[in-house]
Amino acid sequence: VKVYPPDSPYFELALGKGRKAKSSGSGTAADKVPPGMEVSYVVRFKPDARIDYSYDLVVVTEREKFSVPIRASGGSALLDFPDVVDFGDDCVVGYKSEKTVFVRNVGDRATKFVLRTMPPFSVVHPD
């Protein structure tokens, strides 16, 4: 098995715990893996900004070449929204009842959202 080290300044490949470095001469990490056994690597992430990062780690065996996607999120939106909007017993048949629902983004990225309901409920965006 050959694992090509990332050519990205944000990701680094290291040998797993208790393993010694072997080199195939081409700057790749190479290991023989007997049937039923396993090898491990440590992928280190070194971001320089709070953005999303991605890289495809290339792994080559005697029979095939494949990529392992590496994804790292630099931040995300997180909406704080009530689990239930309870109108309680204050609703009178034939009259409209309203509840104000507060939605707050407690994440570190901006986001957009849409509220949808089924009749007899409706959503009105405040002006």
Side-chain angles (χ1 to χ4, degrees):
V1 175
K2 290 182 184 178
V3 181
Y4 289 88
D7 59 353
S8 165
Y10 310 114
F11 296 100
E12 181 181 288
L13 188 67
L15 295 174
K17 192 173 186 178
R19 299 191 41 222
K20 294 181 181 178
K22 296 178 186 178
S23 179
S24 62
S26 62
T28 63
D31 282 299
K32 288 187 178 180
V33 186
M37 299 301 288
E38 62 185 39
V39 294
S40 66
Y41 293 92
V42 176
V43 178
R44 291 191 183 108
F45 176 49
K46 305 177 292 184
D48 64 0
R50 290 194 57 85
I51 58 174
D52 292 344
Y53 294 86
S54 66
Y55 187 80
D56 290 331
L57 192 63
V58 178
V59 179
V60 179
T61 69
E62 292 175 353
R63 295 191 180 105
E64 63 184 332
K65 177 179 178 179
F66 59 94
S67 65
V68 177
I70 301 172
R71 306 294 181 256
S73 176
S76 63
L78 180 62
L79 295 179
D80 183 19
F81 190 85
D83 293 330
V84 175
V85 179
D86 186 3
F87 281 87
D89 296 328
D90 298 336
C91 298
V92 178
V93 175
Y95 290 95
K96 181 169 50 171
S97 297
E98 294 182 354
K99 282 278 187 175
T100 300
V101 177
F102 294 100
V103 179
R104 181 175 56 168
N105 183 355
V106 295
D108 51 15
R109 280 204 171 164
T111 190
K112 295 179 180 181
F113 67 96
V114 176
L115 295 177
R116 294 187 180 107
T117 62
M118 300 291 289
F121 299 99
S122 64
V123 175
V124 178
H125 186 276
D127 293 328

Short mmCIF file of all heavy atoms in Angstrom, two decimals, residues 10 45-53 72-75 109:
data_model
loop_
_atom_site.label_atom_id
_atom_site.label_comp_id
_atom_site.label_asym_id
_atom_site.label_seq_id
_atom_site.Cartn_x
_atom_site.Cartn_y
_atom_site.Cartn_z
N TYR A 10 -2.38 22.58 4.21
CA TYR A 10 -3.36 22.48 5.29
C TYR A 10 -3.50 21.08 5.87
O TYR A 10 -4.06 20.90 6.94
CB TYR A 10 -4.73 22.97 4.80
CG TYR A 10 -4.64 24.31 4.14
CD1 TYR A 10 -4.91 24.46 2.79
CD2 TYR A 10 -4.25 25.43 4.86
CE1 TYR A 10 -4.82 25.70 2.17
CE2 TYR A 10 -4.15 26.67 4.25
CZ TYR A 10 -4.44 26.79 2.91
OH TYR A 10 -4.33 28.01 2.31
N PHE A 45 -4.66 18.41 10.44
CA PHE A 45 -5.31 19.54 9.77
C PHE A 45 -4.74 20.82 10.36
O PHE A 45 -4.74 21.01 11.57
CB PHE A 45 -6.82 19.45 9.99
CG PHE A 45 -7.60 20.61 9.43
CD1 PHE A 45 -7.40 21.06 8.14
CD2 PHE A 45 -8.54 21.23 10.21
CE1 PHE A 45 -8.13 22.11 7.64
CE2 PHE A 45 -9.29 22.28 9.72
CZ PHE A 45 -9.08 22.72 8.43
N LYS A 46 -4.20 21.71 9.47
CA LYS A 46 -3.58 22.95 9.91
C LYS A 46 -4.21 24.13 9.16
O LYS A 46 -3.64 24.63 8.19
CB LYS A 46 -2.08 22.90 9.64
CG LYS A 46 -1.37 21.71 10.26
CD LYS A 46 0.10 21.67 9.91
CE LYS A 46 0.27 21.38 8.44
NZ LYS A 46 1.64 21.23 8.00
N PRO A 47 -5.40 24.56 9.59
CA PRO A 47 -6.07 25.65 8.86
C PRO A 47 -5.41 27.00 9.14
O PRO A 47 -4.78 27.20 10.18
CB PRO A 47 -7.48 25.62 9.44
CG PRO A 47 -7.29 25.11 10.83
CD PRO A 47 -6.17 24.12 10.74
N ASP A 48 -5.56 27.93 8.20
CA ASP A 48 -5.09 29.29 8.44
C ASP A 48 -6.25 30.29 8.38
O ASP A 48 -6.03 31.49 8.48
CB ASP A 48 -3.96 29.68 7.48
CG ASP A 48 -4.39 29.71 6.03
OD1 ASP A 48 -5.56 29.43 5.75
OD2 ASP A 48 -3.55 30.03 5.19
N ALA A 49 -7.47 29.78 8.20
CA ALA A 49 -8.66 30.62 8.20
C ALA A 49 -9.86 29.75 8.55
O ALA A 49 -9.80 28.52 8.43
CB ALA A 49 -8.87 31.27 6.84
N ARG A 50 -10.96 30.37 8.97
CA ARG A 50 -12.17 29.63 9.31
C ARG A 50 -13.05 29.46 8.07
O ARG A 50 -14.09 30.08 7.94
CB ARG A 50 -12.93 30.34 10.42
CG ARG A 50 -12.19 30.26 11.75
CD ARG A 50 -13.04 30.66 12.92
NE ARG A 50 -14.25 29.89 13.08
CZ ARG A 50 -14.35 28.72 13.70
NH1 ARG A 50 -13.29 28.17 14.21
NH2 ARG A 50 -15.51 28.11 13.82
N ILE A 51 -12.56 28.60 7.16
CA ILE A 51 -13.28 28.29 5.94
C ILE A 51 -13.30 26.77 5.78
O ILE A 51 -12.64 26.06 6.52
CB ILE A 51 -12.64 28.95 4.69
CG1 ILE A 51 -11.19 28.50 4.54
CG2 ILE A 51 -12.71 30.47 4.79
CD1 ILE A 51 -10.51 28.98 3.25
N ASP A 52 -14.06 26.27 4.81
CA ASP A 52 -14.10 24.84 4.54
C ASP A 52 -12.90 24.44 3.69
O ASP A 52 -12.51 25.16 2.78
CB ASP A 52 -15.38 24.47 3.80
CG ASP A 52 -16.61 24.64 4.67
OD1 ASP A 52 -16.46 24.75 5.91
OD2 ASP A 52 -17.72 24.65 4.12
N TYR A 53 -12.34 23.29 4.01
CA TYR A 53 -11.18 22.76 3.29
C TYR A 53 -11.52 21.36 2.79
O TYR A 53 -12.29 20.64 3.42
CB TYR A 53 -9.96 22.66 4.21
CG TYR A 53 -9.43 23.97 4.70
CD1 TYR A 53 -9.96 24.57 5.84
CD2 TYR A 53 -8.39 24.62 4.05
CE1 TYR A 53 -9.47 25.79 6.30
CE2 TYR A 53 -7.90 25.82 4.51
CZ TYR A 53 -8.44 26.40 5.63
OH TYR A 53 -7.95 27.59 6.09
N ALA A 72 -12.84 19.21 5.98
CA ALA A 72 -12.73 19.90 7.27
C ALA A 72 -13.55 21.18 7.18
O ALA A 72 -13.40 21.97 6.26
CB ALA A 72 -11.27 20.22 7.59
N SER A 73 -14.39 21.35 8.15
CA SER A 73 -15.27 22.52 8.16
C SER A 73 -14.67 23.60 9.04
O SER A 73 -14.31 23.35 10.18
CB SER A 73 -16.65 22.13 8.69
OG SER A 73 -17.47 23.26 8.80
N GLY A 74 -14.57 24.78 8.48
CA GLY A 74 -14.01 25.91 9.21
C GLY A 74 -15.05 26.66 10.02
O GLY A 74 -14.74 27.62 10.70
N GLY A 75 -16.26 26.26 9.97
CA GLY A 75 -17.33 26.91 10.70
C GLY A 75 -18.65 26.66 9.99
O GLY A 75 -18.69 26.21 8.85
N ARG A 109 -21.23 31.48 10.91
CA ARG A 109 -21.41 31.79 9.49
C ARG A 109 -22.83 32.25 9.25
O ARG A 109 -23.76 31.78 9.90
CB ARG A 109 -21.17 30.56 8.63
CG ARG A 109 -19.73 30.28 8.40
CD ARG A 109 -19.61 29.47 7.13
NE ARG A 109 -18.22 29.38 6.76
CZ ARG A 109 -17.77 28.52 5.91
NH1 ARG A 109 -18.59 27.67 5.34
NH2 ARG A 109 -16.50 28.49 5.61
#
